[in-house]
Amino acid sequence: MKISTATITITGTSPLSQSRQHLEDRLEGEGWDAYDLRTWRQKLNVSPSTGTVVIPQHGMHQALIAGAKYTSKQIPGQGKKTWTAKFTTGIAILDEIDTGILPEDVGSIVISANADGVRGSGKRVPRKFPMIYDWSATFDVMILDPIITEAVFAEMMQVAGLFIGVGRFRPEKGGQNGRWRLDRLEWKDGIAAAA
């Protein structure tokens, strides 16, 4: 089997905000507001090997799948089939996507959030989230299905960056964060994969 590799460079066009669920213990007598104020950086995804903020590969893969679905484009010569299934199983991102940003360099924002985390459910409380205003990343995507061409992949990457995004309050969920533009795409065709 032969695979292709796309080396991608993206630059954020809106802030990147993360809301990773963490298991930091509350201190004795600590209220939820104080806990949130103390632990907001724990909401970042941080690589244990580099100590820098990363975008989980699963999140980017889901963004590309959603971008393909958003276009509703049909695969030429395959009837009504769209690109969604091809991007679900036909690509792989094997590594976390490193932004190179240290957690201590990340700013924050306080928002009025639903106390139980469910939109429109009732009481709202202030919550603090990380906000990265200037971000970029370079990463590899393996193209396993040869029907996905460089042009198709580039289009879905651009659509995902504009209409889907990654992280908390992204466009896919009605927000504005986590958008990107595709700055560079280097395509390597037909590399033999180990059997």
Side-chain angles (χ1 to χ4, degrees), residues 59-78:
M60 183 59 71
H61 190 179
Q62 290 298 314
L64 284 165
I65 295 166
K69 184 176 182 180
Y70 182 86
T71 68
S72 299
K73 280 197 164 185
Q74 295 172 355
I75 302 170
Q78 294 200 15

Side-chain angles (χ1 to χ4, degrees), residues 14-19 109 111-112 119 124 129-131 164-179:
S14 66
L16 175 63
S17 184
Q18 297 182 335
S19 58
I109 187 171
I111 67 165
S112 181
R119 183 179 283 187
R124 298 178 75 78
F129 289 94
M131 289 288 279
I164 307 301
V166 289
R168 183 195 66 81
F169 199 57
R170 62 189 178 274
E172 179 185 25
K173 300 295 183 185
Q176 297 295 320
N177 295 335
R179 283 190 164 110

